[in-house]
mmCIF file of all heavy atoms in Angstrom:
data_model
loop_
_atom_site.group_PDB
_atom_site.id
_atom_site.type_symbol
_atom_site.label_atom_id
_atom_site.label_comp_id
_atom_site.label_asym_id
_atom_site.label_seq_id
_atom_site.Cartn_x
_atom_site.Cartn_y
_atom_site.Cartn_z
ATOM 1 N N ILE B 69 -2.383 11.069 -4.559
ATOM 2 C CA ILE B 69 -2.724 9.672 -4.809
ATOM 3 C C ILE B 69 -3.666 9.543 -5.999
ATOM 4 O O ILE B 69 -4.780 10.062 -5.996
ATOM 5 C CB ILE B 69 -3.336 9.003 -3.554
ATOM 6 C CG1 ILE B 69 -2.303 8.969 -2.424
ATOM 7 C CG2 ILE B 69 -3.815 7.595 -3.876
ATOM 8 C CD1 ILE B 69 -2.791 8.355 -1.127
ATOM 9 N N GLY B 70 -3.199 8.900 -7.038
ATOM 10 C CA GLY B 70 -4.009 8.638 -8.228
ATOM 11 C C GLY B 70 -4.165 7.135 -8.383
ATOM 12 O O GLY B 70 -4.166 6.406 -7.395
ATOM 13 N N HIS B 71 -4.282 6.685 -9.631
ATOM 14 C CA HIS B 71 -4.456 5.248 -9.871
ATOM 15 C C HIS B 71 -3.295 4.683 -10.686
ATOM 16 O O HIS B 71 -2.802 5.335 -11.599
ATOM 17 C CB HIS B 71 -5.773 4.997 -10.597
ATOM 18 C CG HIS B 71 -6.954 5.359 -9.760
ATOM 19 N ND1 HIS B 71 -7.431 4.542 -8.766
ATOM 20 C CD2 HIS B 71 -7.731 6.473 -9.741
ATOM 21 C CE1 HIS B 71 -8.462 5.133 -8.169
ATOM 22 N NE2 HIS B 71 -8.664 6.301 -8.742
ATOM 23 N N CYS B 72 -2.893 3.458 -10.365
ATOM 24 C CA CYS B 72 -1.819 2.775 -11.093
ATOM 25 C C CYS B 72 -2.286 2.478 -12.524
ATOM 26 O O CYS B 72 -3.410 2.037 -12.731
ATOM 27 C CB CYS B 72 -1.478 1.471 -10.362
ATOM 28 S SG CYS B 72 -0.404 0.370 -11.314
ATOM 29 N N GLU B 73 -1.416 2.744 -13.482
ATOM 30 C CA GLU B 73 -1.770 2.505 -14.890
ATOM 31 C C GLU B 73 -1.987 1.026 -15.197
ATOM 32 O O GLU B 73 -2.711 0.679 -16.126
ATOM 33 C CB GLU B 73 -0.607 2.959 -15.804
ATOM 34 C CG GLU B 73 -0.421 4.447 -15.878
ATOM 35 C CD GLU B 73 0.910 4.803 -16.540
ATOM 36 O OE1 GLU B 73 1.627 3.867 -16.987
ATOM 37 O OE2 GLU B 73 1.227 6.007 -16.609
ATOM 38 N N ARG B 74 -1.310 0.162 -14.439
ATOM 39 C CA ARG B 74 -1.393 -1.271 -14.707
ATOM 40 C C ARG B 74 -2.595 -1.905 -14.005
ATOM 41 O O ARG B 74 -3.360 -2.620 -14.631
ATOM 42 C CB ARG B 74 -0.108 -1.987 -14.238
ATOM 43 C CG ARG B 74 1.143 -1.618 -15.016
ATOM 44 C CD ARG B 74 1.216 -2.294 -16.363
ATOM 45 N NE ARG B 74 1.516 -3.732 -16.277
ATOM 46 C CZ ARG B 74 1.451 -4.559 -17.312
ATOM 47 N NH1 ARG B 74 1.110 -4.094 -18.515
ATOM 48 N NH2 ARG B 74 1.734 -5.831 -17.177
ATOM 49 N N CYS B 75 -2.740 -1.674 -12.698
ATOM 50 C CA CYS B 75 -3.747 -2.407 -11.927
ATOM 51 C C CYS B 75 -4.916 -1.557 -11.454
ATOM 52 O O CYS B 75 -5.865 -2.083 -10.873
ATOM 53 C CB CYS B 75 -3.088 -3.072 -10.723
ATOM 54 S SG CYS B 75 -2.602 -1.902 -9.436
ATOM 55 N N ARG B 76 -4.851 -0.248 -11.660
ATOM 56 C CA ARG B 76 -5.913 0.675 -11.246
ATOM 57 C C ARG B 76 -6.057 0.822 -9.732
ATOM 58 O O ARG B 76 -7.006 1.435 -9.262
ATOM 59 C CB ARG B 76 -7.274 0.288 -11.848
ATOM 60 C CG ARG B 76 -7.257 0.188 -13.352
ATOM 61 C CD ARG B 76 -8.654 -0.192 -13.857
ATOM 62 N NE ARG B 76 -9.436 0.953 -14.236
ATOM 63 C CZ ARG B 76 -10.745 1.067 -14.039
ATOM 64 N NH1 ARG B 76 -11.412 0.132 -13.405
ATOM 65 N NH2 ARG B 76 -11.388 2.129 -14.442
ATOM 66 N N ASP B 77 -5.157 0.264 -8.940
ATOM 67 C CA ASP B 77 -5.203 0.466 -7.490
ATOM 68 C C ASP B 77 -4.715 1.902 -7.212
ATOM 69 O O ASP B 77 -4.152 2.553 -8.079
ATOM 70 C CB ASP B 77 -4.274 -0.547 -6.787
ATOM 71 C CG ASP B 77 -4.530 -0.573 -5.272
ATOM 72 O OD1 ASP B 77 -5.531 0.013 -4.806
ATOM 73 O OD2 ASP B 77 -3.723 -1.202 -4.559
ATOM 74 N N PHE B 78 -4.927 2.363 -5.978
ATOM 75 C CA PHE B 78 -4.402 3.674 -5.611
ATOM 76 C C PHE B 78 -2.885 3.635 -5.701
ATOM 77 O O PHE B 78 -2.255 2.627 -5.363
ATOM 78 C CB PHE B 78 -4.775 4.024 -4.174
ATOM 79 C CG PHE B 78 -6.239 4.296 -4.003
ATOM 80 C CD1 PHE B 78 -6.962 3.650 -3.027
ATOM 81 C CD2 PHE B 78 -6.890 5.203 -4.830
ATOM 82 C CE1 PHE B 78 -8.318 3.908 -2.859
ATOM 83 C CE2 PHE B 78 -8.241 5.466 -4.674
ATOM 84 C CZ PHE B 78 -8.953 4.818 -3.686
ATOM 85 N N SER B 79 -2.290 4.727 -6.151
ATOM 86 C CA SER B 79 -0.836 4.775 -6.247
ATOM 87 C C SER B 79 -0.353 6.213 -6.291
ATOM 88 O O SER B 79 -1.019 7.088 -6.839
ATOM 89 C CB SER B 79 -0.377 4.037 -7.510
ATOM 90 O OG SER B 79 1.029 4.128 -7.627
ATOM 91 N N GLU B 80 0.822 6.446 -5.694
ATOM 92 C CA GLU B 80 1.421 7.781 -5.754
ATOM 93 C C GLU B 80 2.282 7.917 -6.992
ATOM 94 O O GLU B 80 2.707 9.003 -7.346
ATOM 95 C CB GLU B 80 2.316 8.012 -4.524
ATOM 96 C CG GLU B 80 1.555 8.177 -3.236
ATOM 97 C CD GLU B 80 2.509 8.191 -2.042
ATOM 98 O OE1 GLU B 80 3.360 9.103 -1.974
ATOM 99 O OE2 GLU B 80 2.415 7.295 -1.192
ATOM 100 N N THR B 81 2.577 6.783 -7.642
ATOM 101 C CA THR B 81 3.426 6.772 -8.825
ATOM 102 C C THR B 81 2.611 6.220 -10.000
ATOM 103 O O THR B 81 1.612 5.529 -9.789
ATOM 104 C CB THR B 81 4.656 5.870 -8.576
ATOM 105 O OG1 THR B 81 4.199 4.670 -7.932
ATOM 106 C CG2 THR B 81 5.661 6.545 -7.674
ATOM 107 N N PRO B 82 3.024 6.504 -11.262
ATOM 108 C CA PRO B 82 2.248 6.020 -12.414
ATOM 109 C C PRO B 82 2.015 4.503 -12.350
ATOM 110 O O PRO B 82 0.923 4.029 -12.647
ATOM 111 C CB PRO B 82 3.113 6.405 -13.607
ATOM 112 C CG PRO B 82 3.906 7.582 -13.138
ATOM 113 C CD PRO B 82 4.171 7.344 -11.683
ATOM 114 N N VAL B 83 3.055 3.760 -11.950
ATOM 115 C CA VAL B 83 2.902 2.311 -11.769
ATOM 116 C C VAL B 83 3.164 2.018 -10.286
ATOM 117 O O VAL B 83 4.151 2.486 -9.728
ATOM 118 C CB VAL B 83 3.887 1.523 -12.664
ATOM 119 C CG1 VAL B 83 3.830 0.034 -12.337
ATOM 120 C CG2 VAL B 83 3.561 1.763 -14.134
ATOM 121 N N CYS B 84 2.253 1.284 -9.644
ATOM 122 C CA CYS B 84 2.365 1.063 -8.198
ATOM 123 C C CYS B 84 3.504 0.101 -7.865
ATOM 124 O O CYS B 84 3.969 -0.643 -8.734
ATOM 125 C CB CYS B 84 1.041 0.544 -7.640
ATOM 126 S SG CYS B 84 0.745 -1.203 -7.955
ATOM 127 N N PRO B 85 3.984 0.106 -6.612
ATOM 128 C CA PRO B 85 5.110 -0.747 -6.225
ATOM 129 C C PRO B 85 4.856 -2.237 -6.483
ATOM 130 O O PRO B 85 5.776 -2.965 -6.856
ATOM 131 C CB PRO B 85 5.264 -0.484 -4.723
ATOM 132 C CG PRO B 85 4.660 0.860 -4.499
ATOM 133 C CD PRO B 85 3.546 0.967 -5.489
ATOM 134 N N VAL B 86 3.621 -2.697 -6.307
ATOM 135 C CA VAL B 86 3.333 -4.121 -6.520
ATOM 136 C C VAL B 86 3.510 -4.469 -7.998
ATOM 137 O O VAL B 86 4.190 -5.430 -8.353
ATOM 138 C CB VAL B 86 1.919 -4.496 -6.021
ATOM 139 C CG1 VAL B 86 1.537 -5.912 -6.462
ATOM 140 C CG2 VAL B 86 1.847 -4.384 -4.501
#
Side-chain angles (χ1 to χ4, degrees):
Chain B
I69 296 179
H71 295 281
C72 169
E73 289 168 4
R74 293 283 287 171
C75 72
R76 304 180 95 217
D77 192 11
F78 290 128
S79 178
E80 289 171 62
T81 44
V83 173
C84 78
V86 170

